[in-house]
Amino acid sequence: MARIESIDRGFKSGATGLILASSLGHAGVVKRLLAAGARADAADNSGCTALAGASENGHEAVVEELLGAGAYVDAADRHGATALMAASGNGHGGKGGCCGREPASQRRSRPRLPTSSGSSCMLCPQ
């Protein structure tokens, strides 16, 4: 599939179609957007990526697609939060929030990275 020049153009918030589809869990749409050349690690105006949106909402199939397309696991938003932190903050990192079974977004991430407030995934309740 040929790359569409405007595929990474975002809305006023900077959110791209890939970020929105990922956050909503539309794995088929995500796969097609990536195949058309969408940047897997594009971020909106606040620094939120498609991987963070998918992770935060527990969409593992989308997370796998994004990781397979080379999304940067440790990309942080303007507060320093990563996809792993987004997942663990909503209980999508396995038992106990982030320290149970290893979710897809944690496989290559650095869970000790702190946010601007000093918290990290390693501080999640067990």
Side-chain angles (χ1 to χ4, degrees), residues 60 84 87-88 91-104 106-107 111 121-122 124-126:
E60 286 194 38
L84 177 58
S88 64
H92 298 300
K95 290 184 177 180
C98 68
C99 303
R101 88 178 160 77
E102 192 175 71
Q106 189 175 346
R107 289 185 198 138
C121 178
M122 297 308 288
C124 294
Q126 298 278 333

Side-chain angles (χ1 to χ4, degrees), residues 44-121:
D44 67 14
N45 297 343
S46 67
C48 183
T49 63
L51 183 60
S55 297
E56 180 176 21
N57 294 299
H59 302 305
E60 286 194 38
V62 173
V63 168
E64 292 292 342
E65 287 292 334
L66 293 166
L67 290 175
Y72 179 54
V73 176
D74 288 327
D77 66 16
R78 67 177 176 210
H79 302 290
T82 65
L84 177 58
M85 292 172 190
S88 64
N90 281 346
H92 298 300
K95 290 184 177 180
C98 68
C99 303
R101 88 178 160 77
E102 192 175 71
S105 61
Q106 189 175 346
R107 289 185 198 138
R108 296 187 310 247
S109 68
R110 299 179 324 183
R112 294 188 190 280
L113 285 178
T115 64
S116 58
S117 66
S119 64
S120 78
C121 178

